Amino acid sequence: MTASDAEPECVLCHRPLRSPAALARRIGSSCWRKLTPAQRAAARANPRNLRAALSRPVPATDGQLPLEEDSDQ
């Protein structure tokens, strides 16, 4: 079997890709669910340079927005 005959693999875990969505993004569904929303957005923005997009640091937040304190009270 040649390299062109091989099934496409996930770039993160190297398992075979089967769904059309996974083939388009080159990441399997189990790996896709583990990514943060920022990493998913970066992967969607630049699927050709996927490793560089995923290696960018993700901001460390707990997901909670800060409360706006009203100074009038």
Side-chain angles (χ1 to χ4, degrees):
M1 180 162 56
T2 64
S4 63
D5 295 335
E7 288 185 23
E9 295 180 339
C10 174
V11 296
L12 301 175
C13 69
H14 303 291
R15 290 184 188 164
L17 299 174
R18 292 187 174 82
S19 75
L23 288 169
R25 65 182 177 238
R26 297 177 19 203
I27 300 176
S29 59
S30 62
C31 292
W32 186 253
R33 287 189 297 267
K34 294 175 188 175
L35 298 177
T36 65
Q39 288 174 319
R40 290 180 190 179
R44 284 186 195 109
N46 193 1
R48 292 275 182 218
N49 198 1
L50 193 59
R51 285 283 181 189
L54 296 178
S55 66
R56 271 191 252 154
V58 177
T61 61
D62 60 0
Q64 179 69 38
L65 294 175
L67 296 174
E68 292 184 25
E69 295 186 22
D70 196 2
S71 61
D72 294 341
Q73 294 179 1

